[in-house]
Amino acid sequence: MQGIQEIDGDVRSTSKPKLEEVRRFLKDERPLPGQVFRDEDIFRDEGKRIFSREWVSVTCAQNVSKPGDVFPVRVAGYSLLVVRDKKNEVRVFYNMCTHRGAALVTEPCRARGGLLSCPYHGWVFSLDGRLSSAPFLTQSKENPRASEEELKGRGLVPVRHVVWRDIVFVDLSGCAEPFEKRIQPLDEHLKPWTSEELYPLSTNEFTAEANWKLAAENFVDAYHLPVVHSQICPTFEGALAQESLVLSDRIAGMLMPEGYGSDPKAEESLLPVFSGLAEEQKRRVEAFFIFPNTLLLVEADYQQVIVLRPQGASLLHETFASYLVTEEVASERYQELRDETDRASLEINHQDIALLQELQKSRSMPAADHTQLAVEWDQTVAAFQKTWARVFLGAEDVSEVE
Ligand SMILES: [Fe+2]
C-alpha cells in the first residue's frame, strides 16, 4: 500500500487526480478524467513518472538510414539525438554539448564528414560520441588542437537504447528492466511476422494538437474504423469480430481475425507476405500499444509504427513509419502497389489526426467527464487506460486499478 500513500501525499499538494477518483472512473467504465488529457502539471509528471522510467520509443531507425544521418527528437521534455555512425550503428545521445550544454542540432541533418559541430563554441563530436576537437582549448596559440588526453572523457552523454523491429527505444533511467524481458511476450507473439526482413517503405512526421494518450487509445479502437475509415472497413459487421489481446502488464492489442472484413478474396495480398504465417494469420490485422508511447500494427504484407512524442498536454509529435516485406518489394514491378500502400496509410493517419484534435477540444470541457465506454468494443482502450493509471499513480499492484 506504500504506493498509494506516496501518491496521496503528492495529490494533497497539487491538483492531480487521486487514485480513488481514477479507479472510480475506470470501474464505472468511463474514460480517464478529462483533466489527465489537458493539465500541464500532469504532463510534466508523466515525464518524471512514465517517460523517464519506462522503455520509450523515440523514432524509427529508417529516419537515420545512412551513416552520418542525425535525427533530433524531444520527448516529454527530454532532448535527444538519434544518429547512425560510420560503422552503421544507431546511437542515441543527449542533444547537448558537454562544454556548456548547448543543443548540437535542431533539425534532422547529415553530419558533414561524420562530425557534429556545436553552434556555441565550436566543439566537434564524432557520431560515436567522442569529442574530436575543441578549438584552442588550452588557450595556447602554439597548440590550437587539443591533445587526445585533453579531449578524453568529454564525449556526448550516451543513452541506453535498443532497436527492435526498426523502432528505436531508449531507457532514460538507465535501470529499467532489460528490454528483451519487457518485449518478450510481443516478440514471441510476432514470431510468424519475422520470417522475412522488413523493407522500410516510408517515414513521415506529424504534429497533432492533442494529448498523446488519445492517439494511443484511438490506435487500438476497432469501433471507429467503419465510420472514420470506411474506405478500408466498410461495415460494422466487418469490425465485429475484433478481439482484445492482453499480452503483459504493458502490452495489449486489438486483433481482427478476418482483416477489415471486406471480401476475403479482395484482401489477398499482391505484395510479398511473411512466409511464416499460418493460413488464418494471413487475413489478420493486429494493432498493439507497447506502453507508453509505441503503436505497432501488423498485417501479412505490412507493418506500421507510430511513435508518440508528447510535447505538452495538448501537443504531440509523431513518427509515422510504414514497412513492407523483403527487399524484393523494392523492384520496379511493385512500384504502383508501394505508392498505393503509402498513400492509403497516410490518408488514414490524416483522418485520425483530424479526429484527435477534435477529441482534445472536448477533453477541455467539464462535460468530458460525462462520457462512457462501450464495454464490448473498448476493451483494449480500457486496458490502455488501466495501464496508464497503474504506472502513473504508482499502483504497481494490478488489483489496485481493476
Ligand atoms: Fe483511425
Side-chain angles (χ1 to χ4, degrees):
M1 296 300 278
Q2 198 188 351
I4 296 175
Q5 283 158 6
E6 271 173 29
I7 294 308
D8 280 349
D10 279 349
V11 168
R12 269 193 291 276
S13 59
T14 68
S15 59
K16 287 180 205 70
K18 289 184 179 158
L19 179 58
E20 270 312 312
E21 188 188 350
V22 171
R23 191 194 278 149
R24 187 158 43 79
F25 266 68
L26 296 177
K27 194 162 173 282
D28 293 348
E29 282 145 2
R30 291 151 72 187
L32 290 168
Q35 185 196 9
V36 310
F37 297 91
R38 60 176 187 252
D39 187 315
E40 293 296 339
D41 284 340
I42 290 177
F43 164 70
R44 274 188 289 276
D45 280 353
E46 287 178 331
K48 288 184 220 150
R49 296 180 187 191
I50 301 175
F51 285 85
S52 59
R53 291 186 187 173
E54 300 282 323
W55 280 101
V56 298
S57 56
V58 290
T59 193
C60 290
Q62 65 164 305
N63 264 331
V64 287
S65 58
K66 293 187 217 66
D69 284 349
V70 179
F71 195 83
V73 290
R74 264 188 93 73
V75 53
Y78 298 85
S79 184
L80 307 174
L81 280 182
V82 182
V83 307
R84 190 176 289 272
D85 72 13
K86 65 178 179 195
K87 289 186 182 156
N88 210 24
E89 247 180 74
V90 173
R91 291 175 182 263
V92 184
F93 302 101
Y94 281 94
N95 185 6
M96 186 190 82
C97 176
T98 50
H99 171 215
R100 296 280 299 283
L104 293 170
V105 160
T106 52
E107 295 293 328
C109 62
R110 302 259 314 138
R112 273 194 295 174
L115 298 169
L116 282 178
S117 178
C118 175
Y120 199 3
H121 300 93
W123 283 25
V124 176
F125 298 88
S126 56
L127 293 187
D128 60 8
R130 279 178 303 128
L131 178 60
S132 154
S133 67
F136 294 96
L137 185 64
T138 58
Q139 280 204 335
S140 156
K141 272 192 197 162
E142 293 71 42
N143 184 23
R145 286 186 59 81
S147 69
E148 285 287 322
E149 201 50 41
E150 286 159 338
L151 298 173
K152 231 168 95 183
R154 298 183 189 238
L156 298 177
V157 182
V159 177
R160 186 183 181 205
H161 68 282
V162 164
V163 180
W164 177 80
R165 297 191 78 98
D166 205 56
I167 311 166
V168 183
F169 288 87
V170 303
D171 162 30
L172 292 160
S173 73
C175 58
E177 72 171 340
F179 180 79
E180 295 67 28
K181 195 172 166 206
R182 177 58 57 88
I183 207 70
Q184 194 273 337
L186 182 57
D187 199 42
E188 187 62 35
H189 178 83
L190 292 180
K191 276 257 160 66
W193 284 264
T194 39
S195 49
E196 275 77 20
E197 292 281 306
L198 291 168
Y199 169 82
L201 176 65
S202 66
T203 174
N204 288 271
E205 296 300 308
F206 284 90
T207 295
E209 290 177 9
N211 186 276
W212 65 279
K213 296 185 287 299
L214 292 175
E217 292 171 6
N218 177 65
F219 193 76
V220 290
D221 170 4
Y223 200 16
H224 83 291
L225 299 175
V227 186
V228 181
H229 313 300
S230 58
Q231 76 274 25
I232 55 159
C233 183
T235 66
F236 279 100
E237 283 74 17
L240 269 177
Q242 63 103 20
E243 301 160 17
S244 183
L245 192 64
V246 176
L247 292 178
S248 77
D249 64 352
R250 299 287 199 279
I251 303 171
M254 172 273 284
L255 185 159
M256 299 178 76
E258 296 299 325
Y260 296 109
S262 45
D263 176 13
K265 276 265 174 306
E267 287 202 2
E268 229 161 77
S269 182
L270 301 169
L271 286 159
V273 299
F274 289 109
S275 60
L277 298 174
E279 215 38 56
E280 74 274 10
Q281 289 172 324
K282 288 184 182 163
R283 292 188 298 274
R284 274 193 205 168
V285 178
E286 302 196 6
F288 297 92
F289 70 78
I290 305 165
F291 190 81
N293 68 328
T294 311
L295 309 176
L296 175 69
L297 177 144
V298 291
E299 296 176 31
D301 57 6
Y302 178 68
Q303 167 174 297
Q304 180 181 102
V305 175
I306 303 182
V307 170
L308 306 173
R309 291 192 305 272
Q311 306 295 304
S314 312
L315 187 61
L316 173 65
H317 289 173
E318 283 186 8
T319 290
F320 179 94
S322 289
Y323 300 82
L324 298 175
V325 179
T326 76
E327 270 295 318
E328 182 195 336
V329 84
S331 73
E332 188 71 36
R333 70 190 170 110
Y334 288 116
Q335 188 177 341
E336 223 169 283
L337 283 168
R338 285 199 310 270
D339 292 348
E340 176 51 24
T341 305
D342 205 25
R343 187 207 60 75
S345 61
L346 288 172
E347 180 185 26
I348 291 169
N349 206 47
H350 279 293
Q351 291 169 329
D352 279 327
I353 283 189
L355 185 93
L356 294 178
Q357 300 193 141
E358 289 308 314
L359 282 179
Q360 183 66 27
K361 288 178 196 162
S362 74
R363 289 297 188 284
S364 302
M365 303 188 292
D369 293 341
H370 293 266
T371 53
Q372 190 88 32
L373 295 179
V375 184
E376 296 301 325
W377 284 101
D378 290 332
Q379 289 177 26
T380 320
V381 173
F384 177 82
Q385 298 181 343
K386 284 177 184 168
T387 305
W388 179 88
R390 258 194 298 110
V391 179
F392 181 78
L393 296 171
E396 273 308 321
D397 178 357
V398 181
S399 63
E400 287 179 32
V401 186
E402 277 297 343

